[in-house]
Amino acid sequence: TMRNSILTYAFGIPFERAIIFHRWLGRMTVFAGVAHGLSFFLTWVEADIVSDQLVVSKNVQGLIAGIFLVIIFLTSLQFVRRRFYNMFH
């Protein structure tokens, strides 16, 4: 289980404290990912090249990754986990 992670042993961090870091790192990752994607998208809107950019493979891959990142974030919210408990357990 995650309670016995090699990282918690290596850094000497108890699980209860490690989970707090995990949550904050996750939130920062979502924020950075959304800010990154949004900045590109707004640049494309301003230059009127959205349709050109959405056929470029790496941009489509980034969009898909961003969508899944947001889905993971949304499903990590406590009220969502409580509402759909059976889906997660």
Side-chain angles (χ1 to χ4, degrees):
T1 67
M2 281 303 297
R3 292 182 189 269
N4 297 322
S5 169
I6 193 165
L7 293 175
T8 58
Y9 286 127
F11 292 107
I13 301 172
F15 173 78
E16 294 75 21
R17 195 153 171 224
I19 198 72
I20 293 169
F21 289 121
H22 177 85
R23 289 178 180 163
W24 276 104
L25 286 171
R27 291 173 185 147
M28 288 189 291
T29 300
V30 170
F31 176 77
V34 169
H36 172 78
L38 191 58
S39 68
F40 271 94
F41 186 75
L42 293 176
T43 301
W44 299 340
V45 167
E46 189 177 316
D48 196 25
I49 56 171
V50 174
S51 58
D52 297 333
Q53 293 299 320
L54 289 179
V55 295
V56 176
S57 177
K58 67 180 179 181
N59 295 338
V60 174
Q61 294 167 1
L63 178 62
I64 292 169
I67 289 168
F68 279 107
L69 185 65
V70 170
I71 290 170
I72 290 170
F73 171 73
L74 293 175
T75 58
S76 76
L77 298 174
Q78 187 147 355
F79 77 89
V80 174
R81 288 190 332 233
R82 288 178 189 235
R83 174 90 167 93
F84 299 101
Y85 177 82
N86 290 331
M87 183 188 321
F88 297 101
H89 294 281

